[in-house]
Each structure stands twice: as structure tokens, then as C-alpha cells.
């Protein structure tokens, strides 16, 4: 599966906002923030088949 | 061969022996910005005195990447073609992660432009060519080297300057004081103006090496190569550019905890270069260790003192937005200051230099800060995200777009500025003109070289352009009693359409568009661009 670019011109602004969301958090807090983000994004997507594909895709990129 | 730094001649200024009449413009700083500023004003008949505390061009290559829009401005100033002929043309950037290419971008994929996306040219050549061009205006540009400004005072309707030379001190008066005195601006310091922004903790080593063998390997075409975690420089980033005279620029990230005094020594640098180029013989031409800053003044215009270039704003170099942003400053200021001094506009027009270029520099700082943040993660979580973006990029297009090794200099849009009359067109108000090939009586030519330097009406449609004092006219694919040219390969029609009439400012930006050649509407838009409605 190919993950096409949907962020377009906002890619840099999104990435920057994501880094800002982590600003000042320690690693445990950042880890928790990421977990919350995954759950919130999953609810936004709201499609189990799509979510399962995304989970598999992310897992395939695990390098370790 | 190393560049020959020939000193510019110093002549004792007349002010040492008797008071000089008040000058219209004094430009402080004879770097690329100050010199280009003087040329721009001279082309409009405005005389200036240029003061510099030094008498040689920039030592070291420093600013090397000159963007298409900058070259188009240099074209208007009469030095674009010389820069292009000497410079190394490039348009493709490649990003690598370890040894693998993860993303490549083409900054000018279409043909039909006089100037390329970028040239690389050492700052010392740019300054030399500008200084030589300035000498074409002996009656309008008074270049004074080894003239150091030690103090200045704004008296409301003029500025006084205290200057020291090898032969003693003198004072000057000027209507306007243009501070082109660079990132460490002494003018800014004297005025105690806050220069706010972000300092990055990483040290970067910048090295120029001369060598016969190209480190780009089998790639004949010079490109911009950027590595995240390259095999030759573990855990850091690296950037490679080619310059003229077989000189290559290598930028190496060193991390925050390095000692610049120790790093900028041959003993430390030569092994780093050998790790990249192998056993190829090379000569170390110049090196420097930097920390980068993104900062700007809140305002660039302070009554009769106006900041232009690095004195007003500095950025990290990833994106080539420093020198290029400065050239866009003077392009914006030149015609406005000339109009004010010639009585064609009120002094309030200069306030729009402030708003338009504060806007432009804020965009440059935003892009440069984001790139530097991506390249230099400041926490483990930022490093984690950065590394995962790089890993995902191998398979997924969206992640390639997130890789940020610098978003390279583009002109900003001035659509929100009150000088532009809102409107819709293929080239909308607020954007610089798009170049295209045309045919003139002598043969192939470029629209760009015909359409900048004065208010200009331009159309590739059927309309007859009205004769209005102070506004030049260009018809494409027409035969009328004003300059008309044939379009080559249909590029003008493709870029501008065949309906709209465009009004260009002297800096080549579209300031209004029309469906019909109504002289009243055109005059109103021109007057608005000169600040009539401010």
C-alpha cells in the first residue's frame, strides 16, 4: 500500500505543530501523548479496515 | 586557484577638508545589498554615497546560492547575465538517508525561463561584479572604502553621520540613511533595537575545498546533495554544493557540544574531508564554524533610517533565504525611495517597504526555522519522529514531503499589501512577473528583460493598451504603436492567458489586472501602487 501525500502545502506546518505539542514534555509524557494521538486519530479515521491496513503498514516499517 | 582579493582604492573624501552638501542617500555597507541598492537607485537617477569600513570583497565564499528571483533582479541591475555565465547552474536537490536517496526535488521543471532555479556563485564574485557595475555610474555612486561610520543621529528630516577614515574624521548629512551593514549591524546596535528570534545550539562546520575530481561522482550535472546520517559523518547531517573554479562547499553538522576553536583547524578538518572525498587531492580554501540564528527587527523603517538585508533579518542558511531575501528587500525599496525623492509619492510609501518586507522576512524565517529544527532535533522525541519520517520515506510519498533539509528561496506573495488592487488572473496581483521567451527585432529575447524597471502594462490579449504618462506598454502577439513582441513556443499565453491586462510595478510585481483597457482604472491602480490610498 502506498501512503500518498494528503498534507500538501501544510506538511511543514503540521510537523512543526506536532513538535510544538511535545515541547517541554519528558519522554514518558511524550510517549503518553503519542498514544493519545494514535487513539484520537483512529477515531477520526473511523474505518476498521483502513486502520488495520495502517497498523500493518507502520509495523512493516519497523526496522529493529 | 584561490580568489585574488584585490583591495578597492581609497581616496580621501571631500568632507575631510570642507563640509559636503547634504546628500540624498547614504548607504552604509558595501556588501551585496549595499552595492545593489546603490545601482538600483542610480538607474533611477538617484545619487548615493556608499560607505564601508573595509576595502576588500567578502573573505570566504559565504552566501553562494542565488535564486531565480534574485537573478531576475540582478538582470534589471545589469549584472544578471555575468553572474549566470560565471555561476554553477543547478535545479535538483537530493536528500539521502545513510547511503540511500530518499527524496529528490526539481526546483524548475519547466523550460522557457532566462534564469535557472539557482546558481552557485561565491559572494566575493557577486560583490566584485556589483562593485564593477557601480563604477558605470561615476556621477551617481560615490564609493568610499575605509570610511567607518562611528555614530549617526536622525534629525527628523535628515540624518547626520560621524565617519572616520585613515586621514581623520568628518561628518555627512543625508536625507536617508540605508543601513546595509549586515548581520552584526552597528547601526542597529547604536539604536538599541531589539533583534528577536531563535538561536540554534548546533555548531556547523563550513568548508570550501578545491579539487579536480567531482564528489558528485558520475553525476555530470551539479546538484544540491543533503545527507541525514551519512556513512562518512555518523549521526549528523551534511550538505554538498559545487561552486565555480572547482570549489566545493561542504557543510557538516557538528552537534551542540563542540568547540569551534578546535574544530576550525586543519588538523580536525582535513580528516573529515578525507572521509567524504577519499584520497582525491584537494586544497582547503576557506573554513568557518557557525551557530545559526533566525531573528529580525520588528520594524525595518525608523523614520529616515531604513534597514535592508541582514541588518534587518537573519536566517539559518538551509533554504538560501538570507542573501536572496536581502536582494528582494532592495528590489522593493529602490523604486519606492526613488518615487519619494522625486516627489512622485509621499513618504508614507516607504512604510509599505516595511510591511511588505517584514512579511517576506517572516516567511523566510518560518521556513528556515522549520528546516533547522528538523535537521537538529532538540529532544529525543524530536529525533525519534525525524528518524521515523526518514524510514517511512523509502516507501511512502507523504513522508518524503515531510523531510526538510531546507525549503529553498521563493519570492513571497504581496497580495495582502494595500498597494495591490485585488483581482484574479493567471499571474495574480502580488506575485512577481513570470518570465517567458519572446522575439524582438534582434531575435530571441526574454519578457523579463523588457518588463522591469518602470510601471508597465502588459497583455497577450487583443486589447490596445492606452498611452498613459509614466507607464510603459508591452503587447505580445500584437502590432501596435508601442513595443510589441512575438511569443515563442506559446509560453507567454500559457503563463498570462490571452484575456487579462496586467499592470506591473517597477519591481516587476503584478499590482493590478484588468479585463478592459480602461485608462481611469489603470491610473487609479498605478496611483494606489504609489501609495495614494494609504
Amino acid at each position: 500500500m502506498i501512503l500518498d501525500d494528503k498534507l500538501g502545502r501544510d506538511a511543514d506546518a503540521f510537523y512543526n505543530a506536532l513538535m510544538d505539542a511535545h515541547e517541554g514534555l519528558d519522554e514518558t509524557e511524550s510517549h503518553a501523548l503519542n498514544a493519545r494521538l494514535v487513539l484520537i486519530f483512529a477515531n477520526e479515521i473511523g474505518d476498521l479496515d483502513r486502520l488495520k491496513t495502517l497498523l500493518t503498514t507502520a509495523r512493516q516499517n519497523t526496522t529493529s | 586557484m584561490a580568489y585574488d582579493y584585490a583591495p578597492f582604492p581609497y581616496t580621501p573624501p571631500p568632507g575631510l577638508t570642507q563640509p559636503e552638501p547634504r546628500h540624498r542617500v547614504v548607504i552604509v555597507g558595501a556588501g551585496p545589498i549595499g552595492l545593489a541598492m546603490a545601482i538600483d537607485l542610480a538607474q533611477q537617477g538617484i545619487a548615493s554615497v556608499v560607505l564601508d569600513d573595509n576595502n576588500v570583497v567578502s573573505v570566504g565564499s559565504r552566501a553562494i546560492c542565488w535564486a531565480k528571483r534574485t537573478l531576475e533582479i540582478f538582470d534589471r541591475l545589469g549584472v544578471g547575465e555575468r553572474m549566470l555565465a560565471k555561476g554553477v547552474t543547478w535545479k535538483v536537490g537530493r536528500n539521502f538517508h545513510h547511503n540511500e536517496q530518499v527524496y529528490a526535488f526539481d526546483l524548475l521543471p519547466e523550460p522557457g525561463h532566462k534564469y535557472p532555479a539557482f546558481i552557485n556563485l561565491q559572494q566575493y564574485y557577486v560583490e566584485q561584479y556589483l562593485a564593477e557595475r557601480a563604477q558605470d555610474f561615476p556621477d551617481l555612486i560615490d564609493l568610499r572604502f575605509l570610511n567607518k561610520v562611528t555614530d549617526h543621529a536622525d534629525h527628523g528630516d535628515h540624518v547626520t553621520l560621524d565617519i572616520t577614515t585613515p586621514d581623520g574624521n568628518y561628518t555627512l548629512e543625508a536625507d536617508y540613511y540605508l543601513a546595509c551593514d549586515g548581520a552584526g549591524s552597528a547601526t542597529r546596535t547604536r539604536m538599541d533595537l531589539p533583534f528577536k528570534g531563535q538561536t540554534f545550539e548546533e555548531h556547523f562546520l563550513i568548508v570550501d575545498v578545491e579539487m579536480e575530481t567531482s564528489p558528485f561522482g558520475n553525476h555530470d550535472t551539479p546538484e544540491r546533495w543533503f545527507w541525514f546520517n551519512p556513512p562518512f559523518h555518523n549521526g549528523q547531517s551534511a550538505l554538498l554544493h559545487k561552486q565555480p573554479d572547482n570549489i566545493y562547499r561542504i557543510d557538516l553538522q557538528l552537534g551542540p557540544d563542540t568547540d569551534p576553536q578546535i574544530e576550525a583547524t586543519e588538523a580536525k578538518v582535513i580528516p573529515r574531508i578525507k572521509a567524504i572525498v577519499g584520497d582525491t587531492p584537494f586544497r582547503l580554501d576557506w573554513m568557518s564554524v557557525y551557530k545559526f540564528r533566525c531573528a529580525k527587527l520588528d520594524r525595518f523603517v525608523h523614520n529616515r533610517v531604513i534597514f535592508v538585508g541582514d541588518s534587518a533579518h537573519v536566517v539559518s542558511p538551509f533554504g538560501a533565504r538570507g542573501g536572496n531575501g536581502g536582494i528582494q528587500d532592495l528590489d522593493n525599496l529602490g523604486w519606492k525611495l526613488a518615487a519619494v525623492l522625486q516627489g512622485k509619492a509621499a513618504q508614507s510609501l516607504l512604510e509599505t517597504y516595511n510591511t511588505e518586507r517584514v512579511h517576506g522576512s517572516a516567511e523566510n524565517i518560518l521556513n528556515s526555522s522549520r528546516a533547522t529544527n528538523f535537521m537538529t532535533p532538540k529532544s529525543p522525541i524530536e529525533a525519534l519522529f525525524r528518524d521515523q519520517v526518514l524510514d517511512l520515506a523509502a516507501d511512502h510519498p507523504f513522508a518524503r514531503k515531510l523531510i526538510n533539509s531546507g525549503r529553498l528561496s521563493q519570492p513571497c506573495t504581496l497580495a495582502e499589501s494595500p498597494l495591490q488592487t485585488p483581482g484574479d488572473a493567471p499571474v495574480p496581483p502580488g506575485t512577481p512577473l513570470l518570465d517567458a521567451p519572446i522575439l524582438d527585432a534582434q531575435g530571441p529575447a526574454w519578457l523579463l528583460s523588457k518588463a522591469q524597471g518602470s510601471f508597465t502594462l502588459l497583455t497577450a490579449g487583443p486589447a490596445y493598451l492606452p498611452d498613459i504618462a509614466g507607464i510603459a506598454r508591452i503587447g505580445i502577439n500584437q502590432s501596435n504603436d508601442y513595443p510589441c513582441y512575438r511569443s515563442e513556443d506559446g509560453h507567454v499565453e500559457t503563463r498570462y492567458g490571452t484575456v487579462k491586462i496586467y499592470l506591473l510595478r517597477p519591481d516587476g510585481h503584478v499590482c493590478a489586472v484588468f479585463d478592459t483597457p480602461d485608462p481611469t482604472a489603470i491610473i487609479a491602480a498605478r496611483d494606489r501602487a504609489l501609495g495614494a490610498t494609504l
Side-chain angles (χ1 to χ4, degrees):
Chain A
M1 190 191 75
I2 291 171
L3 294 183
D4 286 324
D5 170 31
K6 290 185 182 176
L7 290 165
R9 292 172 58 86
D10 293 329
D12 288 349
F14 161 69
Y15 193 85
N16 210 56
L18 180 60
M19 295 305 107
D20 284 349
H22 283 277
E23 181 88 42
L25 302 185
D26 66 25
E27 275 195 80
T28 309
E29 291 166 332
S30 275
H31 199 51
L33 175 68
N34 283 335
R36 288 195 296 276
L37 276 174
V38 168
L39 297 170
I40 292 167
F41 287 167
N43 183 57
E44 280 291 299
I45 293 164
D47 175 336
L48 182 61
D49 288 342
R50 177 98 181 121
L51 285 166
K52 281 184 170 173
T53 314
L54 295 176
L55 288 170
T56 309
T57 304
R59 181 74 193 227
Q60 277 165 357
N61 264 81
T62 303
T63 45
S64 54
Chain B
M1 209 176 76
Y3 182 83
D4 177 23
Y5 292 94
F8 294 113
Y10 158 80
T11 343
L16 284 172
T17 47
Q18 58 183 36
E20 297 183 34
R22 184 179 297 174
H23 296 277
R24 309 204 82 178
V25 178
V26 168
I27 295 169
V28 180
I33 308 304
L35 290 167
M37 187 82 244
I39 295 164
D40 196 354
L41 292 172
Q43 291 193 157
Q44 299 171 82
I46 304 292
S48 64
V49 177
V50 184
L51 305 170
D52 199 287
D53 57 1
N54 205 337
N55 68 339
V56 287
V57 295
S58 147
V59 174
S61 59
R62 296 172 64 186
I64 61 164
C65 295
W66 303 95
K68 180 173 187 289
R69 180 62 199 147
T70 296
L71 296 170
E72 293 174 347
I73 295 165
F74 282 153
D75 189 83
R76 184 172 65 73
L77 301 181
V79 289
E81 292 179 6
R82 191 176 180 193
M83 306 266 188
L84 178 62
K86 179 70 182 177
V88 171
T89 290
W90 65 274
K91 64 172 191 166
V92 170
R94 294 184 195 279
N95 289 325
F96 300 87
H97 186 207
H98 306 300
N99 244 343
E100 298 294 314
Q101 179 180 316
V102 285
Y103 182 54
F105 51 89
D106 184 338
L107 295 163
L108 189 61
E110 61 177 27
H113 295 267
K114 179 172 183 177
Y115 289 99
F118 271 92
I119 65 164
N120 288 346
L121 183 62
Q122 296 91 327
Q123 184 170 334
Y124 42 75
Y125 281 120
V126 171
E127 290 186 18
Q128 178 198 328
Y129 295 174
L130 288 167
E132 287 169 11
R133 172 65 176 150
Q135 283 155 20
D136 290 343
F137 304 92
D139 299 331
L140 291 169
I141 301 179
D142 183 347
L143 280 171
R144 300 185 186 182
F145 296 99
L146 301 180
N147 276 242
K148 180 183 170 67
V149 178
T150 56
D151 203 2
H152 77 277
D154 189 334
H155 300 277
D157 66 344
H158 72 283
V159 182
T160 52
L161 297 87
D162 294 338
I163 299 155
T164 184
T165 76
D167 295 316
N169 304 328
Y170 70 107
T171 61
L172 280 185
E173 289 188 356
D175 291 343
Y176 286 93
Y177 176 122
L178 306 185
C180 305
D181 48 355
S185 170
T187 310
R188 199 180 63 221
T189 306
R190 273 197 299 276
M191 293 170 71
D192 198 22
L193 298 173
F195 202 52
K196 288 177 288 195
Q198 181 181 6
T199 300
F200 298 91
E201 295 306 316
E202 298 278 326
H203 285 103
F204 286 82
L205 170 67
I206 295 186
V207 187
D208 279 358
V209 296
E210 180 182 350
M211 55 188 166
E212 294 294 323
T213 312
S214 168
F216 289 102
N218 294 328
H219 281 256
D220 288 340
T221 313
E223 297 173 335
R224 176 190 196 264
W225 284 14
F226 191 97
W227 289 265
F228 295 96
N229 298 333
F232 53 79
H233 192 48
N234 196 27
Q236 306 284 12
S237 68
L239 175 61
L240 176 65
H241 274 287
K242 182 176 186 183
Q243 305 169 57
D245 307 337
N246 284 331
I247 292 186
Y248 294 88
R249 161 72 65 83
I250 298 165
D251 290 35
L252 295 173
Q253 182 186 3
L254 294 177
D257 301 323
T258 43
D259 181 342
Q261 302 289 344
I262 294 170
E263 291 300 333
T265 56
E266 292 199 10
K268 292 286 282 186
V269 168
I270 286 175
R272 291 191 189 281
I273 302 303
K274 282 189 170 166
I276 303 170
V277 305
D279 290 331
T280 305
F282 62 87
R283 180 183 66 82
L284 215 53
D285 186 70
W286 175 66
M287 62 181 162
S288 188
V289 173
Y290 281 103
K291 266 166 105 169
F292 299 127
R293 223 172 20 145
C294 287
K296 70 183 205 22
L297 290 170
D298 288 333
R299 292 184 51 78
F300 299 172
V301 177
H302 293 261
N303 191 42
R304 296 284 172 149
V305 178
I306 301 176
F307 291 84
V308 190
D310 280 0
S311 65
H313 47 73
V314 294
V315 294
S316 63
F318 306 102
R321 288 168 180 269
N324 290 300
I327 297 295
Q328 287 172 49
D329 286 352
L330 73 91
D331 185 48
N332 191 292
L333 178 59
W335 67 275
K336 293 175 181 174
L337 184 56
V340 169
L341 287 168
Q342 289 162 344
K344 296 174 186 167
Q347 196 181 339
S348 57
L349 181 61
L350 300 178
E351 181 61 21
T352 68
Y353 162 73
N354 187 66
T355 50
E356 290 185 347
R357 292 312 301 161
V358 165
H359 163 72
S361 71
E363 186 173 303
N364 287 332
I365 284 176
L366 182 68
N367 279 286
S368 297
S369 301
R370 285 175 179 172
T372 313
N373 281 326
F374 187 86
M375 290 160 47
T376 61
K378 62 181 184 295
S379 67
I381 196 74
E382 288 195 7
L384 177 67
F385 271 109
R386 203 276 304 267
D387 291 344
Q388 295 309 313
V389 165
L390 289 166
D391 278 346
L392 283 168
D395 294 328
H396 304 296
F398 92 96
R400 288 166 210 163
K401 296 292 183 66
L402 289 169
I403 297 173
N404 193 344
S405 71
R407 304 292 182 218
L408 285 135
S409 175
Q410 298 276 344
C412 65
T413 173
L414 302 176
E416 302 301 315
S417 162
L419 298 187
Q420 274 64 259
T421 304
D424 286 319
V427 186
T431 44
L433 81 167
L434 295 177
D435 196 13
I438 56 173
L439 280 176
D440 69 7
Q442 279 73 49
W446 297 97
L447 179 61
L448 170 88
S449 305
K450 308 284 185 188
Q452 297 195 103
S454 65
F455 280 99
T456 302
L457 281 171
L458 165 70
T459 191
Y464 178 83
L465 300 174
D467 185 10
I468 299 167
I471 304 183
R473 293 175 285 175
I474 294 175
I476 301 296
N477 300 332
Q478 295 185 341
S479 299
N480 285 314
D481 60 346
Y482 49 79
C484 290
Y485 309 101
R486 284 260 314 284
S487 167
E488 279 259 79
D489 301 329
H491 286 300
V492 181
E493 300 91 309
T494 305
R495 288 168 193 166
Y496 290 86
T498 54
V499 175
K500 296 286 180 180
I501 298 158
Y502 294 83
L503 180 62
L504 304 175
R505 313 195 314 193
D507 61 5
H509 284 67
V510 176
C511 62
V513 293
F514 311 92
D515 292 318
T516 56
D518 172 13
T520 312
I522 293 166
I523 289 169
R526 190 272 313 271
D527 291 348
R528 177 174 175 156
L530 281 169
T533 58
L534 295 174

